[in-house]
Amino acid sequence: MGDLELLLPGEADVLVRGLHSFQLREMGSEGWNKQHENLEKLNMQAILDATVSQGEPIQELLVTHGKIPTLVEELIAVEMWKQKVFPVLCRLEDFKPQNTFPIYMVVHHEASIINLLETVFFHKEVCESADDKVLDLVDYCHRKLILLVARNGCGDPSEEERPQDSTPMQELQKQAEMMEFEISLKALSVLRYITDCVDRQFSVLQSTHSKRMQRLHPVSCFSFPGKLQRFENGRWQTVAPSEQQRLNKLDGQVWISLYNLLLSPEAQARYCLTSFVKGQLLKLQAFLTDILLDQLPNLADLKGFLAQLALAETQPPKKDLVLEQIPEIWDRLERENQGKWQAIAKHQLRHVFNPSDQDLRRQAQRWAETYRLDVLEAIAPERPRCAYCNAEASKRCSRCQSVWYCCRECQVKHWEKHAKTCVLAAQGDRAK
């Protein structure tokens, strides 16, 4: 596992064995928080293992103990909580928490799980171990891709103006919106790894969901007057004219997904080529330039396939009886909780998201133990960024040591928003 180890092999085994699903009303509870912390540790250890390329025991443990379906269920459960319960919480007039960090941890839970899945789904045996839950995961990824396409042309989410007098809950809603964008990009990567197994999993991925996957197109770039911005390493960066033809990781994931889906013998044998589908696929030809093919030579096969497709006869829509599996997790959770969203929000208001100062201090200590600075710095994709202006930062907050700034002026301007979290983190450090 390299010089840095967050978990010993025996500890990782215990944490993986203990993973289980929670009801929506239990999210944010003490037991749920403990599992969230365990998932964060597993997530960070998996990234460390992948970085040093010395075996990946977290992935092996998740497969051995059959926990990939559990992670998929937890992922979709927190997605539903964010869509159905979180907005109700934000509308409750009598809900004015002293600290929103306990709610932030639930909002962040989805990002933690999808990040772990992105790390481990690189291995085909992980995809296979998802069994029929891979269909629910494909459906989840499809929902996220719809969000990405809907955002296309809306601009950099980090540049949108924030109200100067926003409440803590309004600020949390804004953070959740920005986080949703990054979650969607992670889902794109997970979907690409699923397409690597398309021949083995085609009985599950066929019909509606293969068609959804075959409508992917690049959405990682936005154009503005006079400049192009690309999302890389967790932030938007202006691309120099000389670099605009360079393929980045996200673009590559989309092209590889399309390659896997369109050139798979199983997919070609089963896919119904209607005139509409043919027209949509042939639009890809305009993007298959020589510069792109130099960067991904395998796409030459895709270009040849599209050239043959242009001459192929289309087929009428099939009217045969089709039996197919359908995703069940979202529908089941919705049936179990239908009409209970308000009651769940009020229960969590009273029993989960209104902790005492003592509870917050105890939780702060556990956060400090989970988010070790040496580990966070080791897995960071690039230099730290200023919490206020997002410039490259070289100075930490002297009290909590967890937030970075580029200068004293930015730290002063950001202090009002950072103060409560800073005090809690500092108390956690002293309590250790």
Side-chain angles (χ1 to χ4, degrees):
M1 293 186 185
D3 296 332
L4 264 179
E5 280 192 348
L6 184 64
L7 296 170
L8 297 174
E11 293 177 300
D13 185 81
V14 170
L15 296 189
V16 171
R17 284 178 181 269
L19 294 176
H20 64 281
S21 300
F22 285 84
Q23 297 181 3
L24 265 63
R25 72 195 310 268
E26 296 177 304
M27 290 186 178
S29 64
E30 184 174 354
W32 183 94
N33 268 310
K34 183 61 180 174
Q35 176 157 296
H36 173 75
E37 293 160 13
N38 293 342
L39 272 170
E40 288 285 25
K41 292 175 182 177
L42 292 170
N43 186 19
M44 289 186 283
Q45 187 63 62
I47 295 173
L48 285 173
D49 294 340
T51 300
V52 299
S53 301
Q54 293 184 4
E56 302 192 31
I58 303 303
Q59 158 252 320
E60 294 168 4
L61 289 171
L62 289 170
V63 172
T64 300
H65 298 307
K67 294 300 182 179
I68 295 299
T70 303
L71 291 179
V72 174
E73 180 146 357
E74 277 293 279
L75 179 70
I76 295 173
V78 74
E79 178 198 19
M80 179 168 287
W81 183 92
K82 286 170 63 178
Q83 288 190 25
K84 305 290 188 178
V85 180
F86 181 51
V88 178
L89 273 173
C90 294
R91 291 195 300 267
L92 294 175
E93 294 182 0
D94 54 343
F95 184 47
K96 298 178 180 178
Q98 295 181 347
N99 192 293
T100 58
F101 209 72
I103 312 174
Y104 174 84
M105 298 307 287
V106 181
V107 173
H108 185 261
H109 191 61
E110 184 180 6
S112 300
I113 298 176
I114 195 65
N115 196 77
L116 177 57
L117 290 177
E118 182 194 29
T119 303
V120 301
F121 256 73
F122 176 79
H123 304 274
K124 291 186 177 181
E125 60 267 26
V126 175
C127 183
E128 293 169 356
S129 74
D131 295 326
D132 58 349
K133 294 299 187 292
V134 73
L135 185 59
D136 294 273
L137 185 55
V138 169
D139 207 48
Y140 167 88
C141 293
H142 179 251
R143 291 193 292 273
K144 297 303 177 182
L145 292 183
I146 289 174
L147 291 177
L148 275 181
V149 173
R151 281 208 73 103
N152 198 4
C154 293
D156 179 350
S158 66
E159 289 183 352
E160 296 173 10
E161 294 184 2
R162 300 186 184 185
Q164 295 299 314
D165 56 347
S166 60
T167 65
M169 287 301 292
Q170 289 172 335
E171 182 67 22
L172 183 58
Q173 284 179 287
K174 189 65 179 178
Q175 290 174 334
E177 180 185 348
M178 295 175 64
M179 196 183 303
E180 191 69 32
F181 182 78
E182 297 194 43
I183 289 171
S184 299
L185 296 179
K186 297 287 184 182
L188 170 61
S189 294
V190 170
L191 190 57
R192 174 258 148 134
Y193 294 135
I194 293 174
T195 66
D196 287 342
C197 305
V198 71
D199 286 337
R200 303 184 192 186
Q201 297 279 0
F202 198 85
S203 61
V204 175
L205 298 179
Q206 62 179 327
S207 190
T208 303
H209 298 282
S210 276
K211 293 173 186 176
R212 288 175 177 177
M213 294 163 76
Q214 284 173 317
R215 289 201 294 264
L216 293 173
H217 57 80
V219 289
S220 62
C221 299
F222 289 126
S223 295
F224 301 91
K227 66 178 180 178
L228 176 78
Q229 288 198 332
R230 179 178 284 147
F231 194 83
E232 291 185 289
N233 296 325
R235 65 189 182 92
W236 288 94
Q237 303 180 40
T238 299
V239 183
S242 60
E243 292 290 307
Q244 291 183 4
Q245 296 295 321
R246 178 179 59 84
L247 198 67
N248 72 350
K249 177 183 176 181
L250 294 169
D251 295 328
Q253 299 285 38
V254 173
W255 283 114
I256 294 171
S257 299
L258 288 166
Y259 179 91
N260 288 339
L261 288 166
L262 295 175
L263 272 68
S264 160
E266 285 281 351
Q268 291 184 22
R270 295 173 182 256
Y271 197 65
C272 181
L273 182 64
T274 64
S275 58
F276 174 78
V277 170
K278 177 179 176 179
Q280 295 298 306
L281 293 179
L282 290 180
K283 292 178 181 179
L284 295 172
Q285 289 178 308
F287 299 99
L288 290 168
T289 63
D290 291 341
I291 296 176
L292 176 61
L293 296 180
D294 286 342
Q295 297 173 79
L296 271 179
N298 285 354
L299 293 183
D301 295 335
L302 178 58
K303 186 173 182 178
F305 166 79
L306 293 174
Q308 293 179 1
L309 181 65
L311 303 176
E313 294 290 334
T314 59
Q315 306 166 358
K318 292 181 179 179
K319 297 181 180 180
D320 298 338
L321 176 64
V322 177
L323 298 177
E324 63 180 61
Q325 292 175 272
I326 60 172
E328 58 88 20
I329 295 176
W330 178 276
D331 289 341
R332 173 172 54 79
L333 290 174
E334 195 165 40
R335 285 196 307 271
E336 292 173 354
N337 297 280
Q338 189 66 41
K340 301 177 183 178
W341 313 120
Q342 186 92 4
I344 293 172
K346 289 187 175 180
H347 167 80
Q348 293 181 325
L349 181 156
R350 292 191 297 269
H351 302 291
V352 178
F353 297 133
N354 195 23
S356 65
D357 289 343
Q358 182 179 1
D359 289 337
L360 281 173
R361 283 194 292 270
R362 185 166 57 248
Q363 187 65 60
Q365 179 180 351
R366 290 167 61 177
W367 291 332
E369 292 170 352
T370 299
Y371 299 104
R372 280 173 36 189
L373 292 177
D374 57 341
V375 176
L376 291 176
E377 290 177 7
I379 65 177
E382 58 172 15
R383 296 277 301 172
R385 315 299 299 186
C386 176
Y388 182 77
C389 71
N390 202 39
E392 190 171 297
S394 59
K395 305 178 187 300
R396 283 198 186 105
C397 171
S398 59
R399 176 181 289 186
C400 70
Q401 294 289 308
S402 60
V403 175
W404 291 80
Y405 297 100
C406 62
C407 62
R408 174 68 177 170
E409 182 181 0
C410 284
Q411 184 175 10
V412 171
K413 291 179 179 178
H414 190 250
W415 174 247
E416 184 176 352
K417 290 183 178 179
H418 175 55
K420 290 183 180 179
T421 304
C422 179
V423 171
L424 282 171
Q427 289 172 341
D429 285 339
R430 289 198 295 272
K432 291 202 297 189

